[in-house]
Amino acid sequence: MELNRRTVIAGAAAAGMAATAFGGTAHATGGRKPVKELFGKLADGTKVYRWSLENGGTRMKVLSYGGIVQALEIPDSRGRYRNVSLGFDNLDDYVASSPYFGALIGRYGNRIAKGRFTLDGKDHQLSVNDGDNSLHGGAQGFDKRVWDVEPFSQGSDVGLRLYYTGVDGEMGYPGTLRSKVTYTLTRDGDWRIDYEATTDKATVVNLTSHVYWNLAGEGSGSIYDHELSIAASRYTPVDSGLIPTGELAKVAGTPFDFRRSKAIGRDIRVAHQQLLYGKGIDHNWALDKGITSTPEHVATLRDPSSGRTLKIATTEPGLQFYSGNFLDGTLVGTGGSVYRQGDALCLETQHFPDSPNQPSFPSTVLRPGQTYRTTTVHSFGA
Ligand code: GLA
């Protein structure tokens, strides 16, 4: 049974249980004006700020570098808060070696084969940073850029507006792309992301967020016991370089069938060719609902040990589910623990990987005069 979130949080606050790294609990249920502090400096002296915001019992810390969600704290049913997203406690680690922890991804989420595509008869060569392929926007994607951040508090919502302009030719992409991403915490503690972009030349765009979730708390061990459901009857199988073959394969009868909630670890060791290619799950689900004008529910994640839940709704047609396969015990996270394979998972709402080279996939082309708009909502419960 799911308890009413605000009741739980109010109860926990009354019992004095809500104090955390966020310091103080003045209004555990109410919106708190985003607070800014210096987080660090880049090698060229650019200052990076960290914003703390809180509403409806959800607490977030966001960096101006990469729009990174550095921490996201939510309570369990007894009001015990944990940071449920992987990250680092310092800027240098993000710059040196982050596997996109918590970051905004652009200009193109996931892979483009050989970093090449043709648009309106013109060939483009992108920055190649993943074997032969371009991953997450290339070597210096939006995750490694400093965004302009503007806090807001509107009605019962609080949030941040993040702005970044990618110049024409950056990482090989045509067109000046002006992006605006809005992070909103609602009075119910939902985290909503609204992505917008415009361009001055035809280009391709696929923005997403790369939070690594562990609902038991970052650094607490593996997510293989988390239960997940995904409203998708098909997924996009890949080749050995994790580029979609173009097929929309049925999930029925495969380890990729999450139409009914199941533990992530249940089938992850099945000797299925696709799991061998991904070193686990690293695939895009073609959501049954397709592209929608308003966000529709597509996935539910639940940690049985804490009871915490995450529900995802999106306007996007795809969901990349990545089971943290490349975490290899070499990174030390926010809480001081080492992250190992399977210690978190990502659920990246998106258009399909390599769409610029796959005529049968929904288009990722954006033209001058058009506005790119997508929305994803994360709802937390316990
Ligand atoms: C995405 C990709 C993965 C991996 C991670 C980051 O989820 O699909 O293959 O690159 O990002 O490590």
Side-chain angles (χ1 to χ4, degrees), residues 281-322:
I281 296 169
D282 192 356
H283 293 78
N284 169 68
W285 269 252
L287 300 167
D288 287 340
K289 71 167 190 74
I291 298 172
T292 44
S293 53
T294 52
E296 290 186 18
H297 174 256
V298 294
T300 299
L301 180 69
R302 179 173 181 275
D303 165 39
S305 72
S306 66
R308 292 190 189 93
T309 57
L310 161 65
K311 289 185 180 167
I312 296 183
T314 187
T315 59
E316 288 280 59
L319 181 72
Q320 183 82 13
F321 164 22
Y322 166 61

Side-chain angles (χ1 to χ4, degrees), residues 99-100 110-111 135-136 210 212 242 282 320 322 326 348:
Y100 308 94
N110 215 278
R111 293 176 179 78
L135 174 66
H136 294 331
H210 210 297
Y212 282 70
L242 301 184
D282 192 356
Q320 183 82 13
Y322 166 61
F326 303 128
E348 304 151 63

Side-chain angles (χ1 to χ4, degrees), residues 38-42 44-49 64-65 91 146-147:
L38 185 67
F39 187 64
K41 280 186 191 169
L42 297 176
D44 69 359
T46 306
K47 288 179 177 163
V48 169
Y49 294 97
S64 53
Y65 180 78
L91 182 61
V146 176
W147 294 62

